[in-house]
Amino acid sequence: MFSPLAFPSGLVVYEMMTYSPTPAQLALVPFELYREPLVILAIAEGRELVGDDKGENESVLSEGVSGGDVQSAASDDALDSVLRSVMELKEQYSTALVHQVFVFNCDKPEIAFPPSVVPVPSLENSKTTTMKTLMCDLTSQLLAEMTSYARSLQALPNIETPKPIYNEGSQIDGHNSSRPGSRISSLPGSRSSSPVPEPERKKNRQSMLPQVNSVSEARSREGSRTRPQSAIYSTPPLTFDEINGVSGRSTPASTSEQERPRRLSREKIQVQGFGSGSVGERARNKAKGRIGVVIGSMYLLAGRWPDAIKELVEGAAVARANSDHVWHAKALDYILVCMIMCAWGGMDFEIPQICYPLGDKALSTPKSSKNTPTHSAPDLTSPVPGNSTNRLVSLQNLCQLLPDLVNNILHLYVRAATFTADLLPQICFSESTIRFSKLLAIIQASHGTLNDHGLRRVVLNADEERSQDTIPIQFTSFPTRAEIAAVVFRAMPLSIAEKLLDVADRVVILAGIASVLSVLGYHRKKAFVLRELTSALLPALVQSRKDSAADLGVHPAASLSSFDLNKYGTGLEEDFSGQDGSENGTQGFLSMLSQVYGVVSADSSENKIITSGKQARLSPNDRPTNPARIVEAVGNRAIRQAVLRSFGNQVLKLDILRTCINVCEALPDFQGVLRFSSDLLRTVGSGIAPAGDSSDGAPMLPIEDQVRLSQNILRTVGAAKQLGMEHLMTEYWDEFLLRKVEIAKPILALTPTTRDQADLKVASGLSIEKEKSPFLFNPFSKKADSSAADIVLVANEEAYFTAVVQNLYDFDLEIEWIKLDTSDTTFEAKADNVMIGPYRTQAIQMNGKPKHSGALKVEGCIAKIRGCHERRFPIYEKPWKYKQSVKAKRLGLAASTIETTRPVSVTSDLTRSQRRSVLKGPDPSNLSAKVIPPQPVVVAHAVSSTQSAIMLLEGERKRVKFTLQNTSSTTPVDLLLLAFTDSTSPSLQHALANKDISAAEIYEAELFSYRQEALRWIRVDDHSEPSIPPNGELTIEIEVLGKPGLTYGTVQIDYGHLGVPRSEVSGQFYTRQVIVPFTVTVNASVSLAQDDFLPFTGDFAWHNQRNQSNLNNSAPSTQPDKRLRAFSRAAPEVKNRFQSLLQRLGLGAQGDDHCLLLLDFHNSWPTPLRLSVQVRENLSKEPANPDDHWKRAYTVYEIIQPGHTTRTVLLIPRLSVQNPYASIPSLNPANKRQYVVSSSKVSPEAELASREAFWYREEILKYLRATWEEESTGRKGDIELRNLRLSARMIDAIKLEEIGIEMTLSPAFPEEEGEGSPSTETETVVTQTGRSKFLVPQETFLFLKTRVKNRLPHPIHPLLRLQPALRHHPYNIALDLSKKFAFNGLLQQALPLLEAGEETEVELGCVFLCEGEFEVHAIVEEVRVWKPPLEDEEGKGKGGRKRAMTGDLVGDKALAGRTERRIWGCREPCVVFVRGAVDGSEEEEKRESGSGEG
């Protein structure tokens, strides 16, 4: 009847099932015959059944009878076990048509197995036997049995429509309900080592519902089926009375509910109502149509699709004529399946007329008298096409008809339930609706066409890329996605129908609906259905766990560690692990569900560092060559998680995650529990890197729930470890664990400082250049800074790190270990067993020792948190928070993806992965350090001063010694540099930073800070560089100066190891510092209290010079020695010491211009001090040694009693300053700028006066110095004289005139002076009685010589004006000289240009006509202001422009900016005493009186 010869192109498609159908599904037979297993296939291992010895005698077995003498008892037991298993299978699945056992790797062909046992040789011994031949033989046997089964069905008077049955969740017909997860992997008792069958629970997963032990009673039917006569076993017994010799099986005595309709239908006898229109005739026609539909379904299963269409069309016509709506719809359903199978097989087909709605005509199709199938068997993957034109036309017509056909079928099901008593079971209606909806969805996804790609998806469920061989035709009348979704939701069981469904059937229905919604792209609707699925599945799983716990003898709430892997098989560990990698597993299903709701899950593929194996270890391949890839992946993951947190409803997310956790706990699935627990913590977390003072990082979950989740993770990991699954852990839930890594600041003595060759050169030449420029930068004068930008570590020395981690959750976080992730694989800084408190940021201290020199880069850390995989954490030091856009640019699930840049065009070659996100992720940071070679370590000790304290007087100097010891045993110190700091430096620096102080004050502060050093190194040998060998010592001597305000001082010793001479140093080197502090107490000694300058006449100098001249004339040979002695001896300490000073005037190189200096010194020390004040003369040449000047100076000594003030009177030479208005310089070269804008608010006149006082004071200090000495102790020191204060009167007394005017009188006829008489003083015509006083006779012709000297730094155009006048008379009488004074020439005359430093002399003939006292005043006035000549070409700029005046405008006002003319007068007028004709005695008296007045 089902012979394949009638249709060679047919195919039999097997669906392999590892579980038994539910009773509700078995109740649909024969309405849906495919619900019942038709073939029971078992697998056995041949090597365990038959011995491998070649001399062993084989037994010839027949069914139930041993065929010979058995040599091996083990082999006989194994074969008997197989036979018993076959018997049990036939008893358990009595309604199955074929029971077959495949014995693989059976290489004993001489053994005779029964027909139900098929030996399969091993691969190397297989010649003709293949799996294809085995399946062909199996199919042939199945088709033969189907023929007998069809004959028995045709003999039935009627087939009842299946009715819904209630499922109480208990046993049905004495057997437990099953679920699709049940499976039979091997035959019980097939192993030689286990001859006794194992318990039923060992054949099933612990997470599955209990398996049905036997459902043969539910599937038994009345009447025997026609079996082949050659069958060894007869039909299994159908009633309890027919069971012979079977014990231990509980079979109900009564007939099952499934068989009762069939028996009643055979017992009914119609006794009336004969005829075509009678009720009996209509019932017989219904029965005939139903049997035809069943036979057509068998043709469909047998692969004879044209015959199936024929039978189904006839049955559908009968059912439609008799208003048998259920069978009519089922026939149309089968016809649709047959057409799809024909199209998938590549054959032509025609749409039967019965498929069209009533009143419609068939579409115009090519006429064909019959179906013309192809004669080649189609392949499952690539069917061989027949007539492609007719096939495509038929497919097109089928696509147009399909919506109406599906609607008609579903309408018939609903109509049958409404108008007849044929209420179709819910599972049948739901699966049909799902099947139709999926077909419509696939066609809708293919733009309304059903091509080869769609056919493969329908038949084989193959998700392949759609082929582009055909152009899709879009039908506007085809149902839309929303309409198809409305159809599939009709399959959703109602609340009343849920009671009629088994849990497994309900799960299958909901999963089918979700599958169709996934094809349609309604992922959120799919998630809603899947949520209902988990709600239906969870109670059954919990009940299954309770049953399993009862079998184990433990409480259901006990730990999962109660499961013993060794007891329940090795497969349980694989089930618990859940790491099958399949997307169809439980975790894949739950992950898909949670993903739709926007749950924040971890993507372990980006940062997972756990490799295969039981032990958690760091994979070598996980450390990438480019560390930025890991950091970028973590940043992208943080952005993606932040987007997911802003998507969806938080309450729904938490509900879904709790459901997933409950499902995984009920299975039990350790990996799922860990995964979804961490996902829940990750979802409720803030996912931000908060600032230190922010409180925005708190998770949105109560504290109790957070603690419960953390404990659940730890408990699950502990249970997994007890089961031997050491690698089972979860991913940590916070990406911002590590917030900061910094190197702890080392102590100052161990901090390396970076130097370069230029610093070494400056420090080496600093002692030589200090006198020229004391402000040369000393790079070694600063203290070592451990917080510098370049962090330097030393090899083989401990380095301490601080890692700042955060815990934003309200439970303790236990870190098993954490270590730094560095670029140097040999460096390791690690901390163990760290506990981070709830919701806080905590610092973790780690230390490590670098082994080699080079670069060290800290990129993050690798941490192992308890219960989590070890992973890398980048450093996120800056705060980061996701800012959600206020504009809703995307809707639906698209809002859960990262927003990328603008959409690319069709021609762009950028893939989706190459589109960059427009969101700015967290900014990672790193820590870079440089590891240098080993360095020496020096310590200072043995300081000579007690407790490093020194007591000094102002100006006193004292020396201190200390010892430096090199504690390094391998590295010497070949670089040793000293720098000093003291307490006066900060105050002076603060004063220098003040912009409101004058330039003179700035100069004083700079001079006091840098010229007068408080500390100075006294080197023993200036030619050799100091060094310290390993474990050696060196003594350093320091001189301390007592400065006012000095309270402490420090000696900074910079040392290092160069390894080469200093001249060969190239690049950078490193030094360390040792600081030796001193406490200094400076007490007051002798200080300058007050000063004053008074003018002094030059007559004393003139008399000394005249006496010296007379002495030289009398004894010329002894003159040089006496003059030197006069310079060298000091003023005697007697009362007439001032008289001795007057006797020295005019004998030095300075001349006869002096002024009187009064200095008041005060003694603040409680003991008497000896004062010494030295004044030196100005020599024309600078000596080689600066102290040579002071050898010729005279000294004044005084003893100052404690608390007393003494006055010292000194004579100092008057001074001349070339440019007293020049700007006050700065000792710091950094302050010397070309353009100076004065910040002073004083007037220009006051500024000029200040500058003049400054320069004259500087000149005065060159001639003075003072010291003190304590004679009792020998202590001595210098007195600070820079606090001299000069007023305008003092400056006028000390300074030389800018234009020097000197007048002398001489006889007009000197040749007459000595003619005929000796040249004696008493007989001279002109007698000089003082420097500017003359005694002349009356009416004598004289020459008045006026000498003008220019001491200005520039030339002048002078005009000399002489003003003779009577002395001691009123102004109007004094100028009346008409009869008293006569002169030959002009009293006012212009002089030629007088250069700087040049002098000129003007003579004027005169005669005094009367006796008396005259005085002649001289005035020099500028005729015009001198201007410098224009610069020559060399002085011009490159463009020929005159150089700008960039000098100080205030200081050079007298030169460049001056416009008025100046006038200078003589300091002393020329006084002339005119005598008359008197004798010699009177003349002598007048001469003496004149000298006395002088």
Side-chain angles (χ1 to χ4, degrees):
M1 185 175 180
F2 300 103
S3 174
L5 299 177
F7 188 65
S9 300
L11 292 175
V12 177
V13 182
Y14 288 96
E15 180 184 3
M16 299 298 178
M17 300 174 59
T18 58
Y19 57 90
S20 299
T22 62
Q25 294 177 355
L26 293 176
L28 298 177
V29 179
F31 181 73
E32 292 180 348
L33 195 60
Y34 59 87
R35 301 281 187 179
E36 184 179 24
L38 300 181
V39 177
I40 304 300
L41 184 62
I43 299 174
E45 175 61 39
R47 294 189 180 93
E48 297 181 4
L49 297 178
V50 182
D52 294 336
D53 296 335
K54 295 183 179 179
E56 182 182 1
N57 296 326
E58 308 294 346
S59 300
V60 180
L61 301 177
S62 59
E63 189 171 2
V65 181
S66 177
D69 187 16
V70 179
Q71 299 292 332
S72 177
S75 179
D76 292 342
D77 293 342
L79 292 175
D80 293 341
S81 177
V82 172
L83 295 178
R84 287 195 301 271
S85 299
V86 173
M87 293 296 297
E88 292 178 359
L89 287 176
K90 289 184 177 181
E91 293 176 1
Q92 184 177 359
Y93 302 100
S94 59
T95 58
L97 301 182
V98 177
H99 302 79
Q100 197 77 36
V101 179
F102 287 165
V103 182
F104 287 92
N105 296 326
C106 183
D107 296 332
K108 299 297 181 64
E110 59 274 11
I111 300 178
F113 288 97
S116 58
V117 180
V118 179
V120 181
S122 60
L123 185 61
E124 58 271 9
N125 296 327
S126 178
K127 298 180 180 179
T128 59
T129 304
T130 61
M131 289 301 299
K132 186 175 183 179
T133 58
L134 292 176
M135 294 306 297
C136 288
D137 296 340
L138 181 65
T139 304
S140 177
Q141 186 177 354
L142 173 63
L143 295 178
E145 294 293 335
M146 287 179 62
T147 302
S148 302
Y149 188 27
R151 300 299 183 188
S152 62
L153 291 176
Q154 290 177 350
L156 295 176
N158 188 19
I159 298 178
E160 295 293 336
T161 303
K163 303 295 183 179
I165 60 175
Y166 285 92
N167 178 33
E168 300 295 339
S170 59
Q171 295 182 356
I172 299 177
D173 297 338
H175 305 289
N176 293 334
S177 60
S178 63
R179 67 178 300 276
S182 303
R183 57 186 180 188
I184 303 174
S185 59
S186 60
L187 291 175
S190 61
R191 304 287 182 180
S192 59
S193 61
S194 302
V196 182
E198 297 179 353
E200 278 302 315
R201 66 174 179 266
K202 297 187 67 176
K203 296 188 293 181
N204 302 310
R205 288 177 56 178
Q206 293 294 328
S207 60
M208 302 304 177
L209 295 175
Q211 186 182 355
V212 176
N213 295 328
S214 176
V215 290
S216 57
E217 291 79 11
R219 290 194 294 264
S220 60
R221 312 178 190 281
E222 284 194 12
S224 60
R225 299 179 182 174
T226 305
R227 302 286 183 179
Q229 297 298 327
S230 59
I232 298 178
Y233 295 101
S234 58
T235 304
L238 302 178
T239 62
F240 183 83
D241 297 333
E242 295 178 356
I243 300 177
N244 296 323
V246 179
S247 61
R249 294 180 58 83
S250 60
T251 306
S254 61
T255 306
S256 63
E257 295 294 335
Q258 182 180 358
E259 298 296 332
R260 187 176 293 109
R262 301 180 183 178
R263 185 181 73 251
L264 294 177
S265 63
R266 291 196 299 269
E267 292 176 355
K268 289 181 181 180
I269 301 176
Q270 300 293 339
V271 295
Q272 63 181 0
F274 293 95
S276 59
S278 61
V279 177
E281 181 65 21
R282 186 175 181 180
R284 286 192 293 273
N285 291 335
K286 278 187 178 183
K288 180 180 178 182
R290 293 179 179 182
I291 294 173
V293 172
V294 175
I295 297 300
S297 66
M298 297 184 69
Y299 276 112
L300 174 62
L301 295 177
R304 295 179 58 176
W305 304 318
D307 296 334
I309 293 177
K310 180 179 179 182
E311 292 290 339
L312 291 172
V313 168
E314 294 178 357
V318 174
R320 185 176 65 177
N322 294 279
S323 299
D324 196 357
H325 303 302
V326 174
W327 291 89
H328 180 200
K330 177 54 66 177
L332 295 178
D333 188 358
Y334 284 145
I335 292 173
L336 177 60
V337 175
C338 290
M339 291 187 292
I340 291 177
M341 295 300 292
C342 290
W344 170 73
M347 296 176 291
D348 298 339
F349 66 92
E350 292 183 358
I351 302 177
Q353 188 67 30
I354 194 66
C355 297
Y356 290 95
L358 296 177
D360 294 344
K361 296 183 179 181
L363 297 177
S364 176
T365 58
K367 301 296 182 179
S368 176
S369 59
K370 60 180 180 179
N371 294 329
T372 309
T374 59
H375 296 285
S376 59
D379 190 9
L380 291 178
T381 58
S382 57
V384 179
N387 192 341
S388 60
T389 304
N390 296 336
R391 177 171 170 270
L392 292 177
V393 172
S394 300
L395 283 175
Q396 181 179 353
N397 295 335
L398 179 61
C399 292
Q400 298 182 25
L401 175 65
L402 188 59
D404 295 335
L405 180 59
V406 169
N407 189 24
N408 187 24
I409 295 173
L410 297 180
H411 175 72
L412 290 174
Y413 283 143
V414 175
R415 186 170 184 177
T418 304
F419 297 102
T420 63
D422 295 335
L423 181 61
L424 193 66
Q426 181 65 36
I427 183 174
C428 183
F429 177 79
S430 296
E431 289 191 357
S432 298
T433 305
I434 292 170
R435 188 164 54 249
F436 298 147
S437 301
K438 189 170 185 178
L439 179 60
L440 292 174
I442 292 175
I443 297 177
Q444 203 275 340
S446 300
H447 305 282
T449 61
L450 190 60
N451 49 18
D452 294 338
H453 170 71
L455 291 172
R456 283 192 296 270
R457 293 186 62 184
V458 171
V459 178
L460 302 178
N461 198 21
D463 190 8
E464 302 175 358
E465 294 293 335
R466 186 173 61 88
S467 60
Q468 303 294 334
D469 52 353
T470 58
I471 300 177
I473 302 175
Q474 180 67 39
F475 294 100
T476 57
S477 61
F478 199 81
T480 61
R481 292 194 308 158
E483 294 173 352
I484 299 175
V487 172
V488 73
F489 272 114
R490 296 176 64 180
M492 181 75 71
L494 303 177
S495 58
I496 300 177
E498 290 179 357
K499 300 180 181 180
L500 306 178
L501 289 176
D502 188 77
V503 175
D505 295 337
R506 186 182 177 192
V507 168
V508 170
I509 293 173
L510 294 177
I513 296 175
S515 176
V516 176
L517 293 176
S518 178
V519 175
L520 293 174
Y522 290 133
H523 299 286
R524 290 192 289 181
K525 290 183 174 62
K526 178 187 70 173
F528 170 78
V529 176
L530 293 179
R531 184 182 177 189
E532 294 294 327
L533 190 151
T534 54
S535 301
L537 185 62
L538 184 58
L541 294 177
V542 173
Q543 183 63 35
S544 175
R545 183 175 179 180
K546 291 180 181 180
D547 297 341
S548 300
D551 294 341
L552 294 174
V554 298
H555 193 273
S559 176
L560 297 177
S561 60
S562 302
F563 292 100
D564 190 357
L565 295 181
N566 298 326
K567 181 178 179 181
Y568 293 97
T570 58
L572 188 60
E573 179 183 358
E574 299 176 359
D575 294 338
F576 281 167
S577 66
Q579 294 180 350
D580 54 355
S582 174
E583 296 180 356
N584 299 325
T586 306
Q587 288 191 34
F589 156 69
L590 296 177
S591 299
M592 176 183 61
L593 173 61
S594 60
Q595 183 181 3
V596 176
Y597 281 90
V599 170
V600 184
S601 60
D603 190 0
S604 59
S605 62
E606 296 179 356
N607 61 343
K608 190 173 181 181
I609 55 176
I610 299 299
T611 58
S612 59
K614 296 297 182 68
Q615 299 295 332
R617 58 184 179 88
L618 184 64
S619 173
N621 297 328
D622 187 71
R623 188 183 296 274
T625 56
N626 185 12
R629 184 174 59 87
I630 290 182
V631 177
E632 183 181 2
V634 175
N636 294 336
R637 184 166 57 251
I639 297 176
R640 185 180 66 254
Q641 292 178 2
V643 173
L644 288 176
R645 286 187 182 91
S646 63
F647 170 78
N649 186 274
Q650 189 73 10
V651 178
L652 291 179
K653 294 179 184 179
L654 300 182
D655 189 14
I656 286 298
L657 286 172
R658 291 191 182 99
T659 303
C660 294
I661 294 174
N662 295 333
V663 170
C664 293
E665 287 180 346
L667 286 177
D669 184 359
F670 289 167
Q671 183 66 38
V673 173
L674 295 176
R675 175 177 181 179
F676 293 108
S677 297
S678 65
D679 288 349
L680 181 55
L681 291 174
R682 190 177 295 106
T683 302
V684 300
S686 59
I688 66 174
D693 55 349
S694 176
S695 59
D696 298 337
M700 296 179 292
L701 192 68
I703 299 178
E704 296 79 6
D705 294 344
Q706 298 181 42
V707 175
R708 189 181 302 110
L709 283 173
S710 64
Q711 294 177 353
N712 189 28
I713 292 176
L714 298 180
R715 184 173 58 253
T716 305
V717 172
K721 289 183 178 180
Q722 293 181 7
L723 296 176
M725 293 178 286
E726 300 290 339
H727 65 283
L728 196 61
M729 298 177 188
T730 186
E731 295 292 335
Y732 185 63
W733 40 85
D734 188 8
E735 302 294 336
F736 303 98
L737 174 69
L738 184 61
R739 295 305 307 275
K740 186 178 182 181
V741 175
E742 58 184 4
I743 298 180
K745 297 181 180 179
I747 60 176
L748 187 62
L750 298 179
T751 302
T753 306
T754 306
R755 311 291 186 185
D756 54 14
Q757 186 180 9
D759 296 341
L760 187 59
K761 291 181 179 180
V762 171
S764 299
L766 190 62
S767 59
I768 302 175
E769 300 293 337
K770 185 101 176 178
E771 296 298 329
K772 297 182 180 180
S773 180
F775 285 89
L776 287 176
F777 172 68
N778 184 5
F780 296 93
S781 61
K782 294 184 178 180
K783 292 185 178 180
D785 188 7
S786 58
S787 61
D790 296 335
I791 302 175
V792 180
L793 303 179
V794 183
N796 299 325
E797 292 186 11
E798 289 289 340
Y800 296 89
F801 295 82
T802 301
V804 180
V805 297
Q806 73 174 14
N807 178 22
L808 300 181
Y809 294 84
D810 297 312
F811 54 84
D812 293 333
L813 183 66
E814 182 179 355
I815 301 178
E816 296 181 2
W817 56 263
I818 180 173
K819 63 180 181 180
L820 297 180
D821 184 18
T822 62
S823 57
D824 186 5
T825 57
T826 61
F827 177 79
E828 181 176 356
K830 187 176 182 181
D832 298 325
N833 299 325
V834 180
M835 183 68 70
I836 309 300
Y839 199 78
R840 68 187 58 189
T841 300
Q842 185 169 329
I844 302 176
Q845 304 295 332
M846 292 177 284
N847 62 302
K849 182 181 294 185
K851 303 298 183 183
H852 310 286
S853 60
L856 180 66
K857 184 178 182 181
V858 180
E859 302 162 352
C861 73
I862 301 176
K864 174 63 177 66
I865 301 169
R866 186 181 176 189
C868 303
H869 293 299
E870 64 174 283
R871 55 160 291 188
R872 288 183 177 87
F873 292 94
I875 305 173
Y876 292 108
E877 185 174 354
K878 298 180 181 180
W880 179 82
K881 184 178 181 181
Y882 170 69
K883 296 182 180 179
Q884 188 176 2
S885 177
V886 295
K887 296 182 179 179
K889 297 182 179 180
R890 295 172 298 170
L891 300 176
L893 290 180
S896 64
T897 59
I898 301 178
E899 184 179 0
T900 57
T901 54
R902 49 184 289 183
V904 296
S905 60
V906 179
T907 58
S908 177
D909 57 350
L910 290 178
T911 61
R912 183 179 297 272
S913 61
Q914 292 175 331
R915 301 178 186 177
R916 303 186 63 86
S917 173
V918 298
L919 301 178
K920 180 176 178 54
D923 188 11
S925 58
N926 53 53
L927 180 66
S928 298
K930 185 176 183 180
V931 182
I932 62 176
Q935 297 293 315
V937 178
V938 174
V939 294
H941 60 89
V943 181
S944 61
S945 61
T946 304
Q947 297 181 355
S948 300
I950 306 172
M951 196 280 290
L952 298 171
L953 295 179
E954 290 184 3
E956 184 183 5
R957 299 180 184 270
K958 186 177 291 187
R959 296 187 179 184
V960 181
K961 295 182 180 180
F962 57 88
T963 303
L964 300 179
Q965 181 182 5
N966 183 10
T967 60
S968 176
S969 58
T970 58
T971 308
V973 176
D974 55 5
L975 175 63
L976 193 66
L977 299 171
L978 271 67
F980 308 98
T981 58
D982 56 82
S983 59
T984 61
S985 299
S987 58
L988 294 175
Q989 294 295 336
H990 179 71
L992 292 175
N994 188 4
K995 302 299 183 181
D996 296 332
I997 63 176
S998 62
E1001 293 175 342
I1002 294 177
Y1003 181 88
E1004 292 296 328
E1006 292 176 346
L1007 185 66
F1008 187 76
S1009 177
Y1010 298 103
R1011 285 283 178 86
Q1012 298 180 0
E1013 296 178 337
L1015 302 175
R1016 186 168 63 95
W1017 182 15
I1018 306 301
R1019 303 184 63 172
V1020 179
D1021 188 2
D1022 295 338
H1023 302 286
S1024 63
E1025 297 295 337
S1027 63
I1028 308 177
N1031 298 324
E1033 294 182 352
L1034 178 65
T1035 301
I1036 302 295
E1037 186 176 8
I1038 301 299
E1039 183 182 74
V1040 184
L1041 171 63
K1043 295 173 59 176
L1046 180 63
T1047 58
Y1048 68 88
T1050 57
V1051 182
Q1052 301 175 9
I1053 301 102
D1054 287 84
Y1055 65 93
H1057 174 67
L1058 300 177
V1060 295
R1062 295 189 180 185
S1063 59
E1064 299 179 4
V1065 174
S1066 61
Q1068 292 182 342
F1069 62 96
Y1070 299 89
T1071 61
R1072 283 176 169 169
Q1073 275 188 0
V1074 174
I1075 297 179
V1076 181
F1078 295 96
T1079 301
V1080 184
T1081 302
V1082 179
N1083 295 321
S1085 58
V1086 178
S1087 60
L1088 178 62
Q1090 190 175 1
D1091 64 278
D1092 193 8
F1093 290 86
L1094 298 176
F1096 193 72
T1097 180
D1099 292 341
F1100 291 96
W1102 176 80
H1103 280 289
N1104 292 335
Q1105 291 175 358
R1106 186 182 66 174
N1107 295 335
Q1108 183 68 29
S1109 177
N1110 295 334
L1111 181 63
N1112 293 337
N1113 294 331
S1114 62
S1117 60
T1118 59
Q1119 187 269 341
D1121 296 335
K1122 291 183 178 181
R1123 184 177 182 181
L1124 290 176
R1125 286 196 300 269
F1127 272 92
S1128 61
R1129 64 177 182 269
E1133 294 186 83
V1134 292
K1135 295 181 179 180
N1136 59 351
R1137 63 176 179 270
F1138 187 72
Q1139 183 178 358
S1140 65
L1141 291 178
L1142 294 179
Q1143 294 175 359
R1144 295 171 53 87
L1145 296 180
L1147 301 180
Q1150 179 66 26
D1152 55 356
D1153 288 331
H1154 288 79
C1155 66
L1156 196 63
L1157 173 61
L1158 306 179
L1159 298 177
D1160 294 343
F1161 293 97
H1162 178 76
N1163 181 14
S1164 302
W1165 188 240
T1167 59
L1169 297 178
R1170 185 170 181 264
L1171 173 66
S1172 299
V1173 182
Q1174 286 183 297
V1175 180
R1176 71 176 183 178
E1177 297 289 341
N1178 186 17
L1179 301 180
S1180 59
K1181 296 182 179 179
E1182 289 290 337
N1185 189 359
D1187 292 335
D1188 291 346
H1189 276 318
W1190 301 105
K1191 292 180 181 179
R1192 298 179 179 272
Y1194 68 92
T1195 307
V1196 177
Y1197 297 98
E1198 286 284 351
I1199 299 297
I1200 310 178
Q1201 297 300 323
H1204 285 216
T1205 302
T1206 184
R1207 172 166 292 181
T1208 302
V1209 180
L1210 302 173
L1211 287 174
I1212 64 171
R1214 296 178 65 201
L1215 307 175
S1216 175
V1217 178
Q1218 291 291 331
N1219 187 10
Y1221 305 111
S1223 61
I1224 300 175
S1226 176
L1227 298 179
N1228 190 354
N1231 296 332
K1232 294 181 179 180
R1233 297 182 295 270
Q1234 181 178 7
Y1235 295 97
V1236 178
V1237 179
S1238 178
S1239 60
S1240 178
K1241 299 179 181 179
V1242 298
S1243 62
E1245 292 77 9
E1247 179 71 17
L1248 291 176
S1250 173
R1251 293 183 181 183
E1252 185 180 18
F1254 172 81
W1255 287 114
Y1256 275 99
R1257 186 185 61 174
E1258 290 298 313
E1259 195 68 20
I1260 291 171
L1261 292 176
K1262 296 178 182 179
Y1263 296 88
L1264 289 177
R1265 73 176 182 180
T1267 59
W1268 61 265
E1269 183 179 1
E1270 189 177 13
E1271 296 180 347
S1272 60
T1273 59
R1275 301 171 64 178
K1276 58 183 178 179
D1278 298 331
I1279 301 174
E1280 182 61 52
L1281 299 178
R1282 293 200 62 85
N1283 54 352
L1284 286 172
R1285 293 295 179 263
L1286 300 179
S1287 63
R1289 179 186 60 82
M1290 297 179 186
I1291 296 175
D1292 186 64
I1294 197 174
K1295 75 173 181 178
L1296 289 173
E1297 290 77 6
E1298 294 177 347
I1299 302 297
I1301 304 174
E1302 183 179 356
M1303 292 179 291
T1304 61
L1305 286 175
S1306 61
F1309 306 103
E1311 62 278 1
E1312 297 180 355
E1313 180 179 354
E1315 183 178 351
S1317 62
S1319 179
T1320 61
E1321 183 180 356
T1322 60
E1323 297 177 354
T1324 58
V1325 177
V1326 178
T1327 303
Q1328 186 174 1
T1329 60
R1331 189 177 64 172
S1332 298
K1333 294 181 176 65
F1334 298 90
L1335 179 62
V1336 298
Q1338 181 181 357
E1339 296 180 355
T1340 301
F1341 289 97
L1342 303 173
F1343 279 130
L1344 179 61
K1345 297 180 180 180
T1346 305
R1347 185 180 295 107
V1348 179
K1349 184 177 181 179
N1350 181 14
R1351 296 191 180 99
L1352 293 173
H1354 57 82
I1356 62 172
H1357 298 277
L1359 173 66
L1360 178 61
R1361 182 181 295 113
L1362 299 177
Q1363 295 179 353
L1366 289 176
R1367 195 179 185 195
H1368 307 302
H1369 285 79
Y1371 189 72
N1372 53 352
I1373 299 175
L1375 295 180
D1376 187 10
L1377 301 176
S1378 58
K1379 297 180 180 181
K1380 302 178 181 67
F1381 176 75
F1383 56 89
N1384 181 19
L1386 298 177
L1387 295 179
Q1388 176 175 320
Q1389 56 180 325
L1391 302 180
L1393 180 68
L1394 190 61
E1395 298 290 339
E1398 186 180 0
E1399 62 181 18
T1400 184
E1401 189 177 65
V1402 179
E1403 291 183 356
L1404 177 67
C1406 63
V1407 60
F1408 294 93
L1409 300 178
C1410 65
E1411 294 182 358
E1413 296 182 9
F1414 294 84
E1415 60 180 3
V1416 181
H1417 293 270
I1419 297 175
V1420 176
E1421 182 180 356
E1422 280 186 304
V1423 178
R1424 64 176 183 272
V1425 178
W1426 177 86
K1427 294 183 179 180
L1430 295 177
E1431 297 181 351
D1432 53 6
E1433 296 298 328
E1434 296 179 357
K1436 295 183 180 179
K1438 296 181 180 181
R1441 184 178 58 88
K1442 181 181 178 180
R1443 293 179 57 88
M1445 303 273 307
T1446 58
D1448 182 39
L1449 297 180
V1450 178
D1452 293 341
K1453 182 178 180 181
L1455 298 177
R1458 183 173 54 85
T1459 58
E1460 69 277 3
R1461 295 177 297 137
R1462 291 177 294 178
I1463 301 175
W1464 298 274
C1466 61
R1467 185 178 182 87
E1468 295 180 2
C1470 181
V1471 180
V1472 182
F1473 298 94
V1474 181
R1475 58 182 170 81
V1478 296
D1479 55 2
S1481 60
E1482 294 178 357
E1483 179 181 351
E1484 184 67 23
E1485 288 180 7
K1486 291 182 179 181
R1487 184 169 61 247
E1488 291 178 358
S1489 63
S1491 63
E1493 292 180 2

